[in-house]
Amino acid sequence: MCGIVGYVGKESATPILVESLKRLEYRGYDSAGITVFNGSLETFKTVGKIADLEDILPEETIANVGIGHTRWATHGKPETRNAHPHMSSCISVVHNGIIENYLQIKEMLIGLGYIFESDTDTEVIAHLLNYKMQSETKRPDLLTAVRETIRELEGSYAIAALCSDEPECLVFARKDSPLVLGIGEDGYYAASDVTAFLKYTKDVVYIDDNEIGSIRPDCIEVFDLKGNLLTKETHTIEWDLEAAEKAGYEHFMLKEIHELYLTPEQIKHLRRATIIACGTSWNAGILGKYLFEKLTGIHTDIETASEFRYGNPVLCGEELTIAITQSGETADTLAAVRSSKSYGCRNIAITNVVGSTITRESDSVVYTRAGPEIGVAATKTFTAQLITLYMLAIHLGRARGVISAEEAKNLIVNIKRLPGQIQKILNRKEEIRECAEQFADMKDYFFIGRYLNFPIALEGALKLKEISYIHAEGYAAGELKHGPLALLTEETPVVAIATMGHTYDKILSNIKEVKARNSTVIAVANEDDTEIEKYVDVVLRIPPSHEMTSPVLSSVVLQLLAYYTALAKDCSIDKPRNLAKSVTVE
Ligand code: M6R
């Protein structure tokens, strides 16, 4: 869950590495560092953000080669000694991933006299590389030493390494962590994600698992693990050629839904779908399950990727899997998709990031196109995932004849109303701020909802805990009496999503159960609901809306509630403690 970068070229490496690391800060931001070749390898690292790293860098450097890293701690606390790059005399290494067998390797290296300065798994790579280069018979070059080193590593890695004996060479390798190269006019780049170097070049080469290679001033070479030179395709990122890409469709979403590569016959015969995701994307997936079952008649399961990958899924290969991942890089989601594909399942990816790993490993992709989301807490991308799921379900439902043209049209009309309705909520955000401030000192919160509002309750709780550090639980409202009611006291606010729909009366009963335990109830309800005030303490309003689409509106209210609570508590809103935007380790 870290970000790595590298540069070899004619330009000064330091500002390029720093600029690239800033673009990757969403992947981790507890410490950062760079190594540049300035006659010898010079390493600078510090705890904190990239701005803190900038403060300790020399003003001028003539280095044209360097590597860099922004860290999200997995092994070892955020301390300077645990920040990357890690050194072993003439070697410097940055790494994203987790080396699972690092303790065994560390023990072996300590036995050989190596001294460890950090608590990280990565430091074993630097020392192991150093050890490989000390071969008594024939001293291998850096590329060979990296190849020999990674043979001994178990786990995941994207690595970039420098050796002062080969000052103009950067060696990289990848397994289960993203890595992409950039080909610029004045140099070559390596990074965890294309956004790192998009400012410098749009020509990229995606490195696949079990590939290794070198970047020198005049060439890039990529090999398989046996040493065979590979011919890699160069892709040009054309993110801004929007109009030309729409191919006559009014919207990208419509075009992409038509690109599902499922024939009408295949769609008709679909019997089962499995949605795979983590975190917020998983919450969106629960709504997806309800939508799919209602609008398409396809039995739909929702799976947490980290569980699915180690479970025993019963798949015959005819199921459709739908992976939802904002970043397209979540390690567990990628692994779960690989596992389902090994059964022959066809996968649709719903992602926000063009060119991300999931897009290259799926049979078809629907982009949410919410634009870059920098805050660690998913907000607009969650909304975009929900809309994508509505559109996908409507498309499949029509193709299967489960919903009529009239029903589809009615739903689309209601989806089109959402931006205006969301604006109305944003206009009333002061009410949400007041509510948030009133309860900001609480230690525990509950969020309850039924049917389509259940995943919104889960997401409301996730948002609150993620950025305000308040313990919050999301629950299916009907489940409260099966245990959680025991936790309710006057000090436990309960947010109840009580919007109009066929479960409205049921949630009113749940609210009464809660009030009978003296808890404060904050309801999210429609503006035209005059009944609700009789039963609750605070009402946060959403415009009158269709039962099917109101969850999108309620989720915006809960995002604002989490935001203002975190603000009242003076929390680090965009970069909450312990979290990173993209979770590329399991
Ligand atoms: O990029 P993904 O959608 O695969 O990320 C999955 C989760 O890590 C992510 O949704 C996380 O839960 C969010 N930070 C929550 O706001």
Side-chain angles (χ1 to χ4, degrees):
M1 191 126 123
C2 308
I4 68 168
V5 297
Y7 176 75
V8 179
K10 296 182 192 145
E11 301 293 325
S12 174
T14 303
I16 292 175
L17 295 173
V18 168
E19 180 62 27
S20 303
L21 285 175
K22 282 185 180 164
R23 308 264 163 197
L24 291 188
E25 225 177 356
Y26 73 88
R27 303 176 70 89
Y29 41 78
D30 60 42
S31 50
I34 62 168
T35 293
V36 289
F37 185 78
N38 225 351
S40 62
L41 292 184
E42 292 181 349
T43 298
F44 307 89
K45 46 191 193 176
T46 183
V47 168
K49 311 220 160 100
I50 309 303
D52 300 306
L53 176 67
E54 270 181 303
D55 289 343
I56 62 159
L57 294 175
E59 280 196 3
E60 282 187 24
T61 126
I62 48 159
N64 303 119
V65 175
I67 54 177
H69 189 271
T70 181
R71 180 167 189 253
W72 181 83
T74 55
H75 294 67
K77 291 184 180 153
E79 291 172 5
T80 302
R81 67 193 182 91
N82 288 329
H84 300 216
H86 287 285
M87 311 284 298
S88 183
S89 69
C90 60
I91 308 277
S92 180
V93 175
V94 289
H95 163 226
N96 170 35
I98 289 182
I99 305 305
E100 287 165 359
N101 59 340
Y102 83 103
L103 283 175
Q104 293 99 296
I105 300 176
K106 189 168 177 174
E107 216 170 283
M108 182 273 286
L109 289 165
I110 289 172
L112 289 167
Y114 282 89
I115 294 167
F116 280 76
E117 288 177 4
S118 77
D119 301 324
T120 65
D121 50 340
T122 304
E123 197 179 355
V124 302
I125 305 176
H127 291 315
L128 193 56
L129 255 174
N130 182 290
Y131 173 61
K132 299 284 177 196
M133 294 190 83
Q134 306 307 322
S135 163
E136 278 166 20
T137 43
K138 185 173 178 284
R139 189 180 162 92
D141 61 10
L142 181 61
L143 182 66
T144 311
V146 171
R147 185 178 297 119
E148 286 178 11
T149 296
I150 60 176
R151 278 200 190 114
E152 296 188 27
L153 303 181
E154 286 168 18
S156 57
Y157 49 79
I159 299 169
L162 299 178
C163 172
S164 54
D165 295 352
E166 294 171 56
E168 297 206 309
C169 174
L170 180 160
V171 173
F172 58 83
R174 164 186 172 153
K175 181 174 165 274
D176 293 338
S177 287
L179 185 61
V180 58
L181 307 183
I183 302 174
E185 281 182 11
D186 293 318
Y188 297 116
Y189 307 80
S192 301
D193 164 336
V194 287
T195 53
F197 52 69
L198 212 53
K199 181 173 170 187
Y200 307 107
T201 180
K202 289 191 163 190
D203 292 331
V204 308
V205 173
Y206 293 107
I207 300 303
D208 292 309
D209 279 347
N210 300 314
E211 291 182 350
I212 172 173
S214 60
I215 306 180
R216 297 170 204 274
D218 53 350
C219 72
I220 286 180
E221 287 182 312
V222 186
F223 303 89
D224 65 17
L225 291 185
K226 291 186 190 137
N228 300 311
L229 183 64
L230 304 173
T231 309
K232 299 286 291 182
E233 203 182 327
T234 302
H235 301 259
T236 301
I237 304 284
E238 292 176 340
W239 291 356
D240 42 0
L241 292 180
E242 292 203 351
E245 287 176 350
K246 279 188 192 156
Y249 289 93
E250 196 184 344
H251 297 105
F252 277 109
M253 188 176 285
L254 193 60
K255 170 174 175 267
E256 287 154 4
I257 286 169
H258 277 87
E259 290 171 350
L260 291 177
Y261 305 122
L262 290 174
T263 63
E265 232 10 62
Q266 284 172 321
I267 293 177
K268 268 201 187 97
H269 288 104
L270 271 175
R271 290 285 163 267
R272 194 173 146 193
T274 302
I275 300 177
I276 300 169
C278 299
T280 288
S281 299
W282 184 76
N283 292 339
I286 300 176
L287 187 111
K289 168 190 163 66
Y290 289 141
L291 294 177
F292 269 54
E293 295 193 331
K294 179 169 174 62
L295 303 177
T296 74
I298 301 169
H299 170 94
T300 306
D301 295 311
I302 165 79
E303 299 277 356
T304 304
S306 55
E307 289 298 312
F308 180 87
R309 63 182 293 193
Y310 294 115
N312 302 293
V314 181
L315 298 168
C316 68
E318 286 176 9
E319 302 84 353
L320 176 69
T321 57
I322 302 168
I324 310 177
T325 162
Q326 184 282 132
S327 61
E329 301 292 354
T330 299
D332 283 322
T333 306
L334 291 171
V337 167
R338 286 173 196 142
S339 158
S340 69
K341 286 187 78 73
S342 71
Y343 292 88
C345 296
R346 181 179 285 273
N347 183 58
I348 300 176
I350 296 180
T351 185
N352 197 40
V353 181
V354 179
S356 55
T357 304
I358 196 84
T359 65
R360 290 178 289 115
E361 298 198 8
S362 297
D363 300 290
S364 43
V365 182
V366 184
Y367 287 109
T368 48
R369 294 197 192 267
E373 187 176 65
I374 310 299
V376 165
T379 50
K380 65 175 181 177
T381 57
F382 176 67
T383 311
Q385 286 171 346
L386 300 184
I387 305 297
T388 306
L389 288 162
Y390 284 108
M391 298 303 286
L392 192 53
I394 293 170
H395 173 73
L396 296 178
R398 278 298 295 131
R400 289 165 62 84
V402 174
I403 53 169
S404 66
E406 199 51 37
E407 284 168 308
K409 196 172 157 209
N410 182 28
L411 262 174
I412 290 171
V413 166
N414 278 288
I415 290 169
K416 284 187 170 173
R417 286 194 182 127
L418 285 169
Q421 293 172 324
I422 290 175
Q423 189 54 54
K424 285 190 180 151
I425 293 172
L426 296 175
N427 294 346
R428 301 174 63 148
K429 58 181 187 287
E430 281 309 309
E431 291 167 22
I432 303 173
R433 178 205 277 264
E434 275 168 32
C435 173
E437 287 173 355
Q438 193 181 338
F439 299 104
D441 291 333
M442 296 290 135
K443 299 277 175 284
D444 305 282
Y445 249 94
F446 269 83
F447 288 74
I448 57 172
R450 283 176 170 265
Y451 185 49
L452 300 179
N453 289 332
F454 163 52
I456 305 306
L458 292 180
E459 178 59 10
L462 178 62
K463 235 35 353 150
L464 189 73
K465 58 189 142 194
E466 192 177 18
I467 60 169
S468 78
Y469 314 144
I470 293 177
H471 166 243
E473 299 213 27
Y475 253 89
E479 280 291 293
L480 274 191
K481 55 184 164 300
H482 298 291
L485 267 188
L487 293 173
L488 296 189
T489 67
E490 288 170 8
E491 300 289 299
T492 328
V494 176
V495 178
I497 309 170
T499 48
M500 286 302 163
H502 75 286
T503 58
Y504 178 75
D505 290 342
K506 302 287 167 198
I507 190 99
L508 273 193
S509 302
N510 300 128
I511 287 172
K512 288 173 193 163
E513 284 164 11
V514 170
K515 283 305 301 171
R517 272 82 194 169
N518 292 326
S519 296
T520 302
V521 176
I522 303 163
V524 179
N526 294 101
E527 272 164 26
D528 50 353
D529 178 357
T530 48
E531 186 71 7
I532 191 84
E533 299 142 352
K534 295 180 197 154
Y535 308 106
V536 306
D537 302 276
V538 181
V539 189
L540 301 174
R541 299 288 185 179
I542 63 166
S545 49
H546 192 285
E547 175 181 13
M548 294 293 284
T549 51
S550 69
V552 177
L553 304 175
S554 301
S555 78
V556 175
V557 172
L558 299 189
Q559 288 169 359
L560 288 168
L561 185 70
Y563 171 77
Y564 284 121
T565 307
L567 194 67
K569 295 187 71 187
D570 201 20
C571 296
S572 166
I573 292 176
D574 287 337
K575 294 177 179 173
R577 72 181 177 212
N578 304 340
L579 299 179
K581 183 80 186 153
S582 180
V583 187
T584 57
V585 292
E586 67 169 303

